[in-house]
């Protein structure tokens, strides 16, 4: 669910519960100035609730179809709740509201109070649900963050392992180069010694031939 929508939803639930309490308490106010101030506060709150409803509607319609459908269904409940608040405010703020209350009797007062309590209870329940969803979202974010940290640590260890292996390969390459140089030097020395031995053998053969020739010619 969209965190933006949840933020608007939480604000609306708090505002709706507050408006319900104000409507309930406004009926008992007898001072005209206090009642006028209370009605002004309720009217401003209803305007603010309208703005939040519109914001939730825009946010819901900008999301994926699957999420959008569920949010719009929930939004219809909030719109119905706000319409009830508007009707209640209109009823208690009408010029004949006091006379209507007297005529309706105690039973009607209890009925209205029960309806307001139900609406207040529903708003509180929705607020609690929103709080739980926010907590769940935060928990998911923390778990994701912990998983990300674990993955980064694993990647760091793998990088260190690769660097260590690379250094070992570099050392092996250096040792191979040194071995090649030694073998090349030894090969050159062997070749040189071989030519020296061949030269000595040739010299000995020539010396033997000369000695034999000398003996034969003076024999």
């Amino acid at each position: 669910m969209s965190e933006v929508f949840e933020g608007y939803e939480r604000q609306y639930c708090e505002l709706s519960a507050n408006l319900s309490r104000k409507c309930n308490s406004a009926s008992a106010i007898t001072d005209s100035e206090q009642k006028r101030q209370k009605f002004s506060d309720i009217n401003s709150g209803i305007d603010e609730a309208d703005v939040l409803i519109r914001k939730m509607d825009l946010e819901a319609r900008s999301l994926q179809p699957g999420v959008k459908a569920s949010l719009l269904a929930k939004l219809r409940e909030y719109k119905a709740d706000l319409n009830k608040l508007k009707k209640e405010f209109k009823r208690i703020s009408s010029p004949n509201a006091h006379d209507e209350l007297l005529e309706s009797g105690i039973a009607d007062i209890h009925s209205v109070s029960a309806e307001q309590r139900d609406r207040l209870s529903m708003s509180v329940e929705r607020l609690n649900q929103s709080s739980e969803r926010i907590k769940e979202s935060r928990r998911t974010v923390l778990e994701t963050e912990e998983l990300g940290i674990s993955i980064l640590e694993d990647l760091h260890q793998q990088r260190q392992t690769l660097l260590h292996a690379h250094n070992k390969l570099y050392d092996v390459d250096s040792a191979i180069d040194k071995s090649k140089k030694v073998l090349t030097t030894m090969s050159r020395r062997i070749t040189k010694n071989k030519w020296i031995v061949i030269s000595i053998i040739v010299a000995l053969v020539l010396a033997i031939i000369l000695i034999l020739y000398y003996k034969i010619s003076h024999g």
Side-chain angles (χ1 to χ4, degrees):
M1 182 183 292
S2 168
E3 292 184 3
V4 176
F5 185 91
E6 286 183 351
Y8 292 149
E9 182 182 28
R10 182 180 180 85
Q11 293 178 45
Y12 174 79
C13 290
E14 292 175 350
L15 183 58
S16 175
N18 189 30
L19 288 173
S20 295
R21 288 192 293 269
K22 287 183 177 180
C23 286
N24 192 27
S25 62
S27 302
I29 297 175
T30 56
D31 183 79
S32 59
E33 183 61 30
Q34 291 181 1
K35 181 170 288 190
R36 188 180 303 109
Q37 181 62 41
K38 179 69 70 173
F39 287 164
S40 177
D41 291 344
I42 294 173
N43 190 51
S44 298
I46 289 176
D47 290 340
E48 186 178 349
D50 268 325
V51 172
L52 288 171
I53 288 290
R54 287 195 295 272
K55 287 182 177 180
M56 282 191 285
D57 185 71
L58 290 172
E59 178 64 20
R61 295 181 186 280
S62 67
L63 300 175
Q64 298 295 329
V67 179
K68 179 172 67 175
S70 62
L71 294 184
L72 289 178
K74 182 181 294 186
L75 189 59
R76 284 193 291 271
E77 296 179 5
Y78 293 149
K79 288 180 179 179
D81 176 71
L82 182 58
N83 287 331
K84 288 182 181 180
L85 280 173
K86 288 179 178 179
K87 290 179 181 179
E88 177 64 15
F89 175 63
K90 183 177 180 181
R91 187 185 68 78
I92 64 174
S93 62
S94 64
N96 299 324
H98 182 67
D99 295 337
E100 290 176 358
L101 285 174
L102 291 176
E103 292 174 0
S104 62
I106 297 175
D108 184 59
I109 292 175
H110 288 325
S111 175
V112 171
S113 298
E115 181 181 352
Q116 289 175 344
R117 284 196 298 271
D118 290 341
R119 186 165 58 246
L120 180 59
S121 176
M122 184 181 299
S123 297
V124 172
E125 183 179 355
R126 288 171 179 169
L127 181 59
N128 291 335
Q129 291 175 354
S130 298
S131 298
E132 289 299 323
R133 283 194 295 270
I134 291 174
K135 289 180 181 178
E136 183 64 27
S137 298
R138 288 177 178 174
R139 186 160 49 248
T140 302
V141 169
L142 289 175
E143 290 176 355
T144 303
E145 183 178 355
E146 290 177 356
L147 179 61
I149 292 173
S150 176
I151 291 174
L152 287 176
E153 290 177 350
D154 290 341
L155 290 174
H156 178 71
Q157 292 177 355
Q158 292 177 7
R159 179 176 179 273
Q160 293 298 324
T161 302
L162 290 173
L163 288 175
H164 184 64
H166 179 267
N167 291 334
K168 283 188 174 181
L169 288 175
Y170 179 79
D171 293 340
V172 171
D173 287 340
S174 298
I176 291 173
D177 289 339
K178 290 179 181 179
S179 299
K180 285 181 178 179
K181 291 179 181 178
V182 171
L183 290 174
T184 301
T185 303
M186 290 176 63
S187 176
R188 288 176 180 174
R189 288 179 179 176
I190 291 172
T191 303
K192 182 179 179 181
N193 291 336
K194 182 175 69 174
W195 283 111
I196 291 173
V197 170
I198 291 173
S199 300
I200 292 171
I201 292 172
V202 170
L204 290 174
V205 170
L206 290 175
I208 292 170
I209 292 172
L210 288 173
I211 291 170
L212 290 174
Y213 175 78
Y214 179 79
K215 286 183 176 181
I216 293 170
S217 61
H218 293 82

